[in-house]
């Protein structure tokens, strides 16, 4: 990974993805909208977004940044890189966009304590590695930008993988890591 990549998610009446449903998993949800538009690049290059009819529609905008890895060991990173497919594959016609905020208690932990919970106790990487290469993913950090969420997580897969993805979600939500999740919204999407 080189420079951090800013990414903007705008829910409204425009965009590649149709929003099928929005579920408030923990805490407040997000307002209903018809479509999700994903733009890569700095916000100042996106002036076309403001003042257009797209922003007059009910909706919301969340911004995040694709950043460096915080927790992965070299061995984990090598395996992830080898097994992870690219976004935008033909056939990956459904997606989940899951914004997440973790608690003050999480952020007050030291880096080694967080890694301990994230992987040694909760096995986030080990569990979810089984979903590769069926699921293509991208993690966006948004805590430092002052937005309402700490993370904007994005997953793309084929309709045949929906049940497996739901199983992974259930598993992750039963881990110690998720005790620290104080807001989580699940946005289910499809192409078309
Ligand atoms: C972080 C892998 C699924 C939510 C991470 C990291 C890895 C990873 C390697 C650590 C990145 C780092 O070192 O900074 C995967 C894989 C998945 C998967 C391979 C399989 C599809 C999920 C799902 C969710 C999720 C389904 C949400 C429901 C998160 C969050 C973080 C994260 C919020 C950031 C944690 C933090 O920094 O505190 N994931 N993940 N992941 N993942 Fe996953």
């Amino acid at each position: 990974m080189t420079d951090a990549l800013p990414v903007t998610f705008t829910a409204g009446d425009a965009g590649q993805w149709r929003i099928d449903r929005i579920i408030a998993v923990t805490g407040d949800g997000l307002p209903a909208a018809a479509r999700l538009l994903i733009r890569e690049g700095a916000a100042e290059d996106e002036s076309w977004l403001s003042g257009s009819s797209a922003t007059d529609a009910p909706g919301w905008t969340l911004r995040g940044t694709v950043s460096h890895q915080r927790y992965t060991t070299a061995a984990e990173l090598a395996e992830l890189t080898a097994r992870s497919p690219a976004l935008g594959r033909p056939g990956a016609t459904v997606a989940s966009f899951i914004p997440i905020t973790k608690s003050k208690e999480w952020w007050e932990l030291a880096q080694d304590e967080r890694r301990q919970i994230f992987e040694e106790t909760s096995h986030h990487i080990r569990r979810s590695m089984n979903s590769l290469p069926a699921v293509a993913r991208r993690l966006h950090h948004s805590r430092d930008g002052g937005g309402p969420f700490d993370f904007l997580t994005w997953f793309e897969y084929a309709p045949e993988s929906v049940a497996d993805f739901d199983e992974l979600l259930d598993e992750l939500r039963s881990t110690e890591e998720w005790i620290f999740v104080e807001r989580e919204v699940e946005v289910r999407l499809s192409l078309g």
Side-chain angles (χ1 to χ4, degrees), residues 69-72 80 98 100 102 106 118 124-125 128 131-132 135 137 139 151 153 155 165 168-169 172 177-178 184:
Q69 312 294 317
R70 266 64 167 178
Y71 300 111
T72 37
L80 282 163
I98 309 182
I100 285 179
K102 285 185 172 173
W106 173 263
F118 177 81
H124 185 122
I125 300 174
S128 44
S131 302
L132 305 180
V135 177
R137 56 179 270 277
L139 175 63
F151 307 101
T153 68
F155 309 92
F165 183 78
L168 173 66
L169 277 181
L172 287 172
E177 183 193 355
W178 248 255
E184 179 174 4

Side-chain angles (χ1 to χ4, degrees), residues 5 17 28 47 83 98 100 111 119 126 129-130 138 146 161 163 177 183:
L5 173 70
W17 294 91
D28 290 343
S47 49
R83 294 178 63 163
I98 309 182
I100 285 179
Q111 180 73 12
E119 189 56 23
R126 203 203 308 154
M129 195 75 85
N130 296 327
R138 193 161 72 181
S161 299
E177 183 193 355
R183 187 172 178 200

